[in-house]
Amino acid sequence: MRGQRSLLLGPARLCLRLLLLLGYRRRCPPLLRGLVQRWRYGKVCLRSLLYNSFGGSDTAVDAAFEPVYWLVDNVIRWFGVVFVVLVIVLTGSIVAIAYLCVLPLILRTYSVPRLCWHFFYSHWNLILIVFHYYQAITTPPGYPPQGRNDIATVSICKKCIYPKPARTHHCSICNRCVLKMDHHCHILPPALSKLPTSLCPSFLSSVALALGALTVWHAVLISRGETSIERHINKKERRRLQAKGRVFRNPYNYGCLDNWKVFLGVDTGRHWLTRVLLPSSHLPHGNGMSWEPPPWVTAHSASVMAV
């Protein structure tokens, strides 16, 4: 079958090449030369219409699965409301069970010092959970400002068709670009970025037993100065440079301790008490659009940025 197709297409391609060759010569008939010029013009127009600097296999797959993505995004968008209600109901149920069932047992069996410790710790934990969860679900994750030309950008969003600052990615659930986006969390209505998550570290640490694996995973990412998306990007970049005999270094890794300070918004020593151990609605570190280079970045490479 393939051999018959090649036999049929072979003469046609040969005739087309002869026509193009005659079209280049001045002695060919005007009609033939006009047909060749129109053919070349049409080919240029077709290429210009199909040209896309972001084109590639990934773009083709995204375009093919766009209806599926749309359906999933619209269905998942409502999951956030359901999960928030479930979190509130489950948290309220646990508090009610603790007061109605556990507290009478503790009052009868625990000593006074132990009772005071449990009373202080449980209510401190409850206050942190309620306060930081409320802050997390009511604080916007941070979006790139619109209509400004003085912001350093590294690429153009294929969905928004708008400049993206460094570490900014598009959230298909929110249908907007999010500064330093990590992932879309369904127990928090907005997309979760590392910009506002300093508002809820106590909430995450308080449920570490229930979300142990997730807490450890994000603790590793925070220690490396990466988001979930940047981990995959940096992994590909590390392999690409390794094939060339070069070493990849994350331009946003300030060291383990400094990475945690940036994440928690700790600028001074007393902030560990006022911003981490106590309820705090402080603003996150930085503006989410520009990032200071780490100490290992020299002056001549201070402009290194990761998309």
Side-chain angles (χ1 to χ4, degrees), residues 103 149 161 199 215 219:
L103 184 60
N149 299 324
I161 316 299
L199 297 174
T215 302

Side-chain angles (χ1 to χ4, degrees), residues 120 123-135 198-203 206 264 270-283:
F120 168 77
H123 285 83
W124 168 76
N125 217 6
L126 178 61
I127 292 173
L128 289 181
I129 291 175
V130 174
F131 177 82
H132 289 104
Y133 187 69
Y134 173 79
Q135 289 292 111
S198 57
L199 297 174
C200 53
S202 298
F203 169 75
S206 301
L264 297 174
R270 64 184 180 87
H271 287 163
W272 289 103
L273 174 63
T274 58
R275 294 186 175 184
V276 179
L277 297 181
L278 296 178
S280 175
S281 58
H282 64 277
L283 295 177

